[in-house]
Amino acid sequence: MNYTIRELKQYETKLLDTFLYEAIFIPDGVQAPPKSIIKHPDLQIYIADFGKKNDVCYVAEVEGKVVGAIWTRILNDCGHINDETPSLSISLLREYRNLGIGTELMKQMLLTLKAQEYKQVSLSVQKANYAVRMYKKAGFEIAHEHEEDYIMTRKL
């Protein structure tokens, strides 16, 4: 599949609504929450007013359609390590998963964060999420383990 990875354009930030929703892990057999869930303040911190100083976002585009996004920002979320470590979010539209696009988005983001001289990046992921394997393959390690999720970090 041909795709392009590029920076998110400022006028496209509304696309992050879609990818924030797609980033919500929904276990098999569990009904998906309504799309309005992304309006909750605990989720809005990931995308509200995106484009500030330390915000970085790349998207994957197939035939002019944005099908995936990876973004980081410094925030106090469930994957928070410290105020110098950006928190990472990544998601793809369902039909574009398991095609290597997420891995390429991840590689681009890690290169960018390293070039910006960050020491590490963090994320939070539910233990049951199949993405844990991808994160481990990308060099993330478990920094903290909770009952249902991991906080993972990747040294840069």
Side-chain angles (χ1 to χ4, degrees), residues 3-156:
Y3 58 89
T4 305
I5 294 177
R6 61 169 177 80
E7 288 185 54
L8 179 78
K9 297 178 174 100
Q10 190 61 42
Y11 68 85
E12 295 176 310
T13 57
K14 198 72 181 140
L15 289 172
L16 292 178
D17 286 357
T18 297
F19 293 103
L20 178 62
Y21 183 77
E22 291 295 326
I24 298 169
F25 175 66
I26 303 162
D28 289 338
V30 174
Q31 185 171 347
K35 292 197 186 297
S36 61
I37 195 169
I38 68 162
K39 299 298 180 200
H40 192 280
D42 288 348
L43 293 177
Q44 274 297 298
I45 63 171
Y46 292 96
I47 60 172
D49 302 319
F50 197 86
K52 294 179 180 175
K53 181 181 175 220
N54 295 311
D55 295 347
V56 178
C57 181
Y58 288 98
V59 296
E61 189 176 78
V62 174
E63 297 176 0
K65 176 183 178 181
V66 175
V67 301
I70 187 167
W71 66 100
T72 60
R73 68 187 334 187
I74 306 278
L75 60 127
N76 191 0
D77 67 336
C78 48
H80 181 76
I81 297 292
N82 59 45
D83 293 340
E84 289 79 45
T85 301
S87 294
L88 183 139
S89 301
I90 183 172
S91 71
L92 287 104
L93 299 178
R94 191 165 306 281
E95 60 270 29
Y96 294 93
R97 295 177 186 171
N98 299 310
L99 300 172
I101 298 171
T103 299
E104 291 304 313
L105 281 166
M106 181 71 73
K107 286 179 185 175
Q108 180 62 56
M109 181 60 77
L110 295 175
L111 286 171
T112 297
L113 294 175
K114 184 175 182 171
Q116 292 179 351
E117 300 184 352
Y118 286 105
K119 293 184 179 11
Q120 64 182 353
V121 62
S122 68
L123 59 82
S124 175
V125 60
Q126 290 191 322
K127 291 178 179 179
N129 191 330
Y130 63 88
V132 170
R133 288 189 319 273
M134 181 190 80
Y135 299 141
K136 286 182 176 180
K137 247 176 108 172
F140 282 82
E141 297 178 347
I142 297 168
H144 302 286
E145 183 173 348
H146 301 114
E147 188 175 325
E148 293 184 13
D149 66 322
Y150 299 120
I151 295 176
M152 301 180 81
T153 57
R154 165 69 154 72
K155 302 286 185 221
L156 300 168

